[in-house]
Amino acid sequence: MENKTDMAIFHHNILFIEGLIVTEQTFYPAFILFLLAYVFIMVSNIGLLVLITMGKTLHEPMYILLCNLPVNNVLGASVLIPRLLYDVVKPTSERYITFSECVIQAYIAHVFGTTSHTVLMIMAYDRYVAICNPLRYLTIMTNKMVIKLTVFAWGVAFVLVGILLGLTVRLSHCRSAIENPSCDNPSLFKLSCEDLLINQIYGLAFTAVLWASSIGSIALTYVRIAEVCLRSKNSALNSKAVTTCSTHLLAYIIVLCCGFIIIVLHRFPDYTFHRKMAGIMIKVVPPGLNPIIYGLQTKEIKQKILNIFGKNRLNAL
């Protein structure tokens, strides 16, 4: 009797996960592609983080806040890609994950998605202060303010996602298959046979509030910045505004488009495969492109990179 109980608990805690679906023809290309993507994401984002940390000229509020982006990128990519690579080399029938591991993966994945918005929101505020109140910038964007903004960006994600997953974990589950490449909140609450109304309402409200706050705050910020630039006849100020804001806006548009594609594809059941691939790409594309965008578009960071490579070339000679 005890053995049967133990087996029931064991099977209850072990879930089958679909993982990345590959054929014999696509096995090696898929594995190599995701491996190279992961290596690039880790090297580029950690490199950007080290560059800002080590460069004294980059110890400004704008770049300190920027550090949140590579940290979040590394977190998001690390929770997904290594597990995908692991599942690819395993036979489909042997892809298992424990319930607790699945919850942790889903939590970090949703924190990554939420923080992608909140970090870009606080970076937009920094640009607003720098361009609209340049004389008061240093008195507003103090170390204390930078810490407050960083705590806000991460704290909102940790708390709201914690509630989201908390509502899901409380449910009993009667199924054991995660029909997605990785764990997320919808996959987890679909394991249950209970009433999911509360989960669905909170999930919808959470997404709506996050997107409305994100789009609304950044749109208002850029409208205000545009007004100041149009009224100003300072070409240097306008040039700096265009450079810094275009970089930030491009990073935000990439995040927005990736998320929007997933939301739209949810409405079309026939495009399940495309939705699953979009769910993977949102943790690969922004983390891979952000370091390139900021490395190439930000004058100070680009100069720092050129200086490093210049020194290495001289040393080699």
Side-chain angles (χ1 to χ4, degrees):
M1 191 68 180
E2 288 180 358
N3 289 338
K4 288 183 178 180
T5 304
D6 291 339
M7 287 299 293
I9 293 172
F10 174 78
H11 288 297
H12 181 76
N13 289 323
I14 300 296
L15 305 175
F16 167 79
I17 186 166
E18 182 181 274
L20 187 66
I21 299 174
V22 292
T23 62
E24 290 183 5
Q25 292 75 23
T26 59
F27 170 80
Y28 288 107
F31 185 87
I32 293 170
L33 180 63
F34 280 105
L35 179 60
L36 291 176
Y38 183 62
V39 171
F40 177 77
I41 288 168
M42 296 300 287
V43 171
S44 59
N45 281 281
I46 293 174
L48 181 60
L49 198 60
V50 170
L51 194 67
I52 295 171
T53 305
M54 300 298 289
K56 293 182 179 179
T57 57
L58 300 177
H59 291 177
E60 299 177 12
M62 172 177 146
Y63 301 112
I64 295 171
L65 290 175
L66 173 60
C67 287
N68 289 289
L69 214 53
V71 170
N72 192 44
N73 291 337
V74 168
L75 186 70
S78 296
V79 75
L80 174 74
I81 301 178
R83 177 70 205 196
L84 282 179
L85 294 173
Y86 173 79
D87 287 337
V88 164
V89 299
K90 298 285 287 184
T92 307
S93 59
E94 296 179 17
R95 294 175 182 176
Y96 295 104
I97 187 171
T98 65
F99 183 75
S100 57
E101 286 174 342
C102 194
V103 171
I104 292 170
Q105 187 184 66
Y107 181 80
I108 297 175
H110 285 287
V111 165
F112 163 77
T114 306
T115 312
S116 296
H117 286 269
T118 55
V119 166
L120 289 168
M121 285 166 66
I122 64 173
M123 289 174 67
Y125 175 75
D126 172 75
R127 294 299 82 211
Y128 166 78
V129 176
I131 295 166
C132 299
N133 294 289
L135 299 178
R136 297 181 57 214
Y137 179 73
L138 293 178
T139 59
I140 295 173
M141 295 303 296
T142 59
N143 290 337
K144 189 175 181 180
M145 176 58 77
V146 170
I147 292 171
K148 283 182 178 179
L149 290 171
T150 301
V151 170
F152 165 79
W154 290 93
V156 166
F158 285 143
V159 172
L160 294 182
V161 175
I163 296 171
L164 183 75
L165 268 297
L167 290 171
T168 298
V169 171
R170 71 186 173 85
L171 301 170
S172 61
H173 55 272
C174 58
R175 303 180 186 92
S176 59
I178 300 292
E179 297 177 354
N180 270 318
S182 62
C183 295
D184 55 17
N185 186 58
S187 298
L188 281 168
F189 70 63
K190 286 177 182 177
L191 297 176
S192 177
C193 296
E194 296 182 34
D195 183 13
L196 304 175
L197 182 61
I198 294 175
N199 297 72
Q200 291 168 340
I201 290 174
Y202 180 81
L204 185 61
F206 171 43
T207 305
V209 170
L210 176 66
W211 278 65
S213 302
S214 171
I215 295 172
S217 63
I218 289 179
L220 288 172
T221 298
Y222 278 106
V223 167
R224 180 60 182 148
I225 289 173
E227 289 176 355
V228 171
C229 289
L230 289 173
R231 287 203 305 265
S232 173
K233 295 182 180 180
N234 188 334
S235 59
L237 175 67
N238 291 346
S239 177
K240 184 178 180 180
V242 169
T243 302
T244 57
C245 291
S246 62
T247 304
H248 173 269
L249 193 59
L250 181 57
Y252 181 68
I253 289 172
I254 290 170
V255 171
L256 210 61
C257 288
C258 289
F260 186 71
I261 289 170
I262 294 174
I263 291 173
V264 170
L265 289 176
H266 264 289
R267 301 296 176 185
F268 299 94
D270 293 338
Y271 292 92
T272 303
F273 174 77
H274 298 83
R275 175 175 54 79
K276 291 176 180 178
M277 289 305 298
I280 295 174
M281 289 299 106
I282 197 172
K283 298 179 185 70
V284 175
V285 175
L289 291 180
N290 284 341
I292 298 173
I293 293 169
Y294 279 95
L296 296 179
Q297 289 293 106
T298 306
K299 182 181 177 181
E300 292 80 1
I301 294 177
K302 182 166 66 175
Q303 190 60 49
K304 200 76 178 175
I305 294 171
L306 291 174
N307 289 341
I308 291 172
F309 279 104
K311 287 180 181 178
N312 290 338
R313 187 177 297 174
L314 288 173
N315 291 334
L317 295 173

